[in-house]
Amino acid sequence: MSEKTVRRLISQNITISFMESCTGGLLASLFTDVSGASAVFTGSLVTYSNQQKIRAGIDPFVIEKYGVYSAQTAREMARTCQKIYKTRVSVGITGTTGNPDPANPGSILGEAFFCIIFDGKEEDFHIQKDVEKMSRPEIKEFFARSVYDALDKMTGEFE
């Protein structure tokens, strides 16, 4: 799922970082499963709670105004990890996996938002999938696959 993208980033010396919530570090884990990933992978943040997102640098107003599960929050997550790690590519992802979040009214099971920033170009993505019959790990893997598919398309444009 990720090896082709990782190899492309390595061959082009394009650095990458992640700020993950609903995927719980899976994006970074999959990336580092590929030999040589350390050449371009500089770091990752797993900020599961709103408090940790804010502590990392997300403006609390964004979460308050748009919700933690929103394109705006995902974009801020991508911007924050890019700022921290100084990478050419950054990804922020937020969403719901196992159940609607009781602390966030309006959350929809199987919905995620992610943003990829590549050389200053920001692209927002929205995932909504019927996940009722999927396990939590399967949902996380689906979200991660969606991110890697988008990364593959974006980085493939620069070959």
Side-chain angles (χ1 to χ4, degrees), residues 52-63:
Q52 290 307 313
K53 287 175 184 65
I54 293 165
R55 178 179 270 171
I58 303 300
D59 184 344
F61 176 75
V62 172
I63 294 173

Side-chain angles (χ1 to χ4, degrees), residues 81-148:
C81 70
Q82 189 168 57
K83 181 179 176 183
I84 290 169
Y85 294 111
K86 312 235 183 302
T87 55
R88 285 183 61 191
V89 176
S90 62
V91 178
I93 185 167
T94 181
T96 56
T97 51
N99 56 295
D101 187 343
N104 293 284
S107 64
I108 299 170
L109 179 62
E111 182 175 53
F113 298 87
F114 67 95
C115 177
I116 299 173
I117 301 175
F118 188 175
D119 285 342
K121 178 185 174 192
E122 298 180 359
E123 194 161 338
D124 298 320
F125 299 86
H126 177 232
I127 303 167
Q128 193 162 357
K129 178 160 178 70
D130 179 3
V131 296
E132 195 171 307
K133 294 182 177 148
M134 295 171 71
S135 69
R136 194 177 188 95
E138 288 171 330
I139 298 166
K140 288 168 56 175
E141 189 173 304
F142 176 80
F143 289 166
R145 189 173 337 108
S146 298
V147 170
Y148 275 103

